[in-house]
Amino acid sequence: MSEVKLNLVDAKRVLHGTIHGSVADACVAALSAEPETIEELEAALARYIKPGDTNGYFTWFSSIHCPTNFRLSSAESEPIHDFRAALDTEPWDAGIVVIDLAARIVACESTYSQPGPEGEVFYHDGHALTEIPILYRLPDDWLFVNSADAYQWSRERRVRERATSPACDVRPILFGRPLLQFIVNAYLSLPVETASAATTAELPSGDDDEAAHEALAKEISTIHARWLLTPRDDLRGQSPRDVLLARQDFIDFDLHTRSLQWSLQNEGPPCLAKDSFAYRFAGFGTHEWVLYYDLVRHLLHSLFELKSSKALDLDRNKEIDQLLATLDQIKTDWLESPQTDLDGRIPAILIDNERQRLPQAIRPGDMIVDDDCPMCQMFGDETSALGMGVGFWHLDGSSMDDDFAFSYFKTRQEWEVENCRREEFNREFIRDCEERNQRLAGGEALEPDRFFDEDELYFKTTRIARRPNFDSHELDPTGGHETPLSESDDRDNSDCN
């Protein structure tokens, strides 16, 4: 028993037919692409089942159009009856599966499998299932029930809930005029002496005024944090930070699974279409979160530079309009230009790739850190049997300010707990290090420890070979006996041994 009756429902129609249970499982996994229509679901299936020459995966399914089946008034019972009549709830072989894209409900009453909001399916190459596993995770708002009856009881409520909170494109707010207005207003509202001291730090000077630079950094960080943490009506009472972090884990996990799939298949999985719901209303992953931080900092620094370089002899409104226009151009230039800190990558392209769920792939040669290392050269050679496969480039936010507003934690309490854990770890590490040094100083024989021992002691006790210095006479890389060190030997242990 391996076939099921599959019902696919979106806002306009119902498809139903019999199909192998593995295809139904793949349909559940494809919900990680957040399809809103059956057409988008079919496009997402290409990641799990190689498309054939046919016109689609469900060409033999019965299709019933129900354009009125989502009326929300409970008094209008006819559309609900029409919808239920459109479903085919008669079990077939292993059972029945219903996937409702509009209500975000999966009902599974099957002996073949019991898919959940997180799991794995195996890639189908168009002929048979392969041994390539593909992990998936659905957004948190998907509901799983174990019967068609439970689905129909929940559906109207779920549709009503989703209708009260339709998807909203927040990027025009986070990247557009509201952001620029906030930055300009925050600067202009600074006390005169504070603004003067901060702008002085942006002026080129022969003396490195550390205090002035610290004052500037503090003001910029404060304005940035206030923008991120302030709830806004145009964000439905949420703060920009809430919106930016709301779906970060989901986006990052999906990109991670696509990277794994790419590594196993040696080709990238299909991306989201730019006209799809998931792309147009995409959440923010780590890349966009970090790049957004860099963008806001760039705009703030640019604003202080503008005010320090010249005094605008304009009335207040004209000054604000000119600053907004200038900052908007600065924003566009930064987003669309190669950035040195990103190894020449363009921020707008990085953001767009993440919205399409496209991992940032890099070639083997780009991962080599030592061009003089023969082994590294071999790994970086794509034509070599020992060459490495595709790699992936990531941003982690390690250069962001150490403050709750710029952290990945959803609540301040979580951030404080992590800070306490980290501080305790550091104290324990220092205590262990001091205790070990005291025992070594007392002549006690201890096992070598790479974390605590200085390099010289570690190499002597473990007899690990250093890289030979070919400019000297130290040509014994085996560590079999001690050889005199030349003055030019820097003992750089970061290279391949």
Side-chain angles (χ1 to χ4, degrees):
M1 296 175 63
S2 58
E3 290 192 343
V4 296
K5 180 73 61 63
L6 176 62
N7 286 259
L8 301 175
V9 185
D10 65 13
K12 294 183 178 180
R13 61 177 176 148
V14 177
L15 287 183
H16 60 73
T18 59
I19 203 164
H20 195 274
S22 63
V23 179
D25 289 347
C27 286
V28 173
L31 300 177
S32 61
E34 304 178 87
E36 283 290 305
T37 66
I38 294 173
E39 291 79 11
E40 290 183 357
L41 176 64
E42 287 196 75
L45 266 178
R47 181 185 171 191
Y48 307 92
I49 303 175
K50 185 176 182 178
D53 297 330
T54 60
N55 294 325
Y57 298 97
F58 313 111
T59 52
W60 65 93
F61 276 35
S62 298
S63 176
I64 301 177
H65 286 265
C66 302
T68 62
N69 68 346
F70 291 108
R71 292 180 186 171
L72 300 177
S73 173
S74 58
E76 299 179 14
S77 58
E78 187 62 26
I80 298 299
H81 290 312
D82 286 347
F83 159 71
R84 292 179 178 177
L87 287 175
D88 185 351
T89 57
E90 186 70 26
W92 172 265
D93 198 19
I96 182 172
V97 177
V98 180
I99 298 177
D100 192 324
L101 303 174
R104 293 212 165 185
I105 301 177
V106 174
C108 184
E109 196 172 352
S110 168
T111 58
Y112 179 82
S113 64
Q114 288 293 321
E118 186 172 348
E120 73 173 17
V121 296
F122 289 89
Y123 182 73
H124 196 290
D125 63 6
H127 301 285
L129 284 176
T130 67
E131 296 183 352
I132 298 176
I134 305 176
L135 303 176
Y136 73 87
R137 178 187 295 170
L138 306 193
D140 294 336
D141 59 349
W142 274 92
L143 173 66
F144 281 73
V145 296
N146 58 10
S147 70
D149 288 338
Y151 156 65
Q152 296 189 64
W153 296 334
S154 304
R155 184 179 184 280
E156 184 178 1
R157 171 181 57 83
R158 294 277 296 179
V159 171
R160 189 183 304 276
E161 289 174 353
R162 292 199 73 203
T164 59
S165 182
C168 174
D169 185 5
V170 299
R171 283 179 174 81
I173 300 168
L174 298 183
F175 286 87
R177 193 175 181 88
L179 166 65
L180 304 181
Q181 286 177 325
F182 184 94
I183 289 175
V184 170
N185 291 336
Y187 174 82
L188 295 177
S189 64
L190 288 175
V192 175
E193 60 276 9
T194 302
S196 176
T199 53
T200 299
E202 289 287 4
L203 290 171
S205 173
D207 298 327
D208 186 10
D209 191 341
E210 184 175 348
H213 285 291
E214 289 180 358
L216 174 65
K218 180 179 179 181
E219 290 303 329
I220 286 178
S221 183
T222 299
I223 294 173
H224 191 173
R226 193 159 69 246
W227 161 252
L228 290 176
L229 297 173
T230 302
R232 297 180 57 88
D233 292 339
D234 51 10
L235 295 178
R236 299 173 179 172
Q238 295 180 293
S239 69
R241 185 180 187 275
D242 293 334
V243 174
L244 286 162
L245 295 181
R247 303 175 65 207
Q248 182 187 43
D249 292 342
F250 167 72
I251 299 295
D252 285 354
F253 183 84
D254 196 64
L255 282 165
H256 169 66
T257 62
R258 289 170 181 266
S259 299
L260 291 176
Q261 183 178 355
W262 194 333
S263 299
L264 294 172
Q265 292 183 299
N266 292 320
E267 63 178 354
C271 300
L272 302 182
K274 290 191 177 184
D275 61 352
S276 66
F277 173 89
Y279 177 88
R280 291 183 293 115
F281 301 101
F284 297 81
T286 295
H287 283 179
E288 193 165 5
W289 163 247
V290 175
L291 292 170
Y292 188 72
Y293 173 94
D294 292 341
L295 171 62
V296 175
R297 288 301 169 100
H298 180 67
L299 291 173
L300 284 166
H301 277 286
S302 298
L303 176 59
F304 279 87
E305 289 176 0
L306 284 171
K307 295 295 291 181
S308 65
S309 62
K310 61 179 178 178
L312 299 176
D313 188 17
L314 303 168
D315 64 48
R316 185 77 165 190
N317 290 335
K318 289 184 178 180
E319 179 183 15
I320 291 175
D321 289 342
Q322 183 168 333
L323 287 173
L324 289 174
T326 303
L327 286 179
D328 188 61
Q329 186 60 51
I330 291 172
K331 176 196 71 177
T332 301
D333 291 343
W334 187 86
L335 285 171
E336 298 180 356
S337 301
Q339 300 298 322
T340 303
D341 291 346
L342 304 174
D343 297 330
R345 293 176 175 86
I346 298 174
I349 294 179
L350 295 176
I351 291 172
D352 192 69
N353 286 346
E354 189 171 68
R355 291 180 67 179
Q356 293 185 72
R357 313 282 177 85
L358 174 63
Q360 291 298 137
I362 53 178
R363 301 165 67 94
D366 297 330
M367 295 182 278
I368 302 305
V369 296
D370 187 354
D371 293 332
D372 296 327
C373 171
M375 186 172 293
C376 294
Q377 293 173 358
M378 179 181 63
F379 286 152
D381 184 359
E382 297 179 52
T383 63
S384 170
L386 297 177
M388 294 186 294
V390 63
F392 299 94
W393 180 89
H394 296 278
L395 291 170
D396 60 8
S398 58
S399 62
M400 297 164 71
D401 284 356
D402 186 14
D403 187 71
F404 165 70
F406 315 113
S407 73
Y408 297 102
F409 294 97
K410 301 294 178 61
T411 67
R412 189 175 293 273
Q413 181 180 7
E414 293 174 343
W415 178 72
E416 291 174 349
V417 169
E418 172 59 21
N419 277 347
C420 291
R421 186 203 64 79
R422 184 175 57 187
E423 290 171 1
E424 177 56 32
F425 175 87
N426 291 339
R427 286 194 293 268
E428 182 177 351
F429 184 90
I430 293 172
R431 285 196 302 268
D432 291 346
C433 184
E434 292 175 347
E435 178 186 350
R436 182 176 181 83
N437 289 338
Q438 291 174 1
R439 294 170 65 183
L440 289 171
E444 186 174 348
L446 299 176
E447 289 293 324
D449 192 307
R450 186 69 174 89
F451 291 101
F452 294 112
D453 297 338
E454 296 183 5
D455 287 348
E456 184 67 24
L457 174 61
Y458 184 74
F459 280 110
K460 283 183 177 179
T461 54
T462 59
R463 302 171 70 83
I464 291 180
R466 301 187 190 92
R467 181 186 62 180
N469 181 355
F470 293 102
D471 294 330
S472 71
H473 297 290
E474 188 196 6
L475 299 178
D476 178 15
T478 64
H481 63 274
E482 291 297 319
T483 56
L485 296 177
S486 67
E487 293 182 359
S488 63
D489 183 13
D490 58 1
R491 301 201 310 278
D492 182 0
N493 306 311
S494 62
D495 297 325
C496 297
N497 292 320

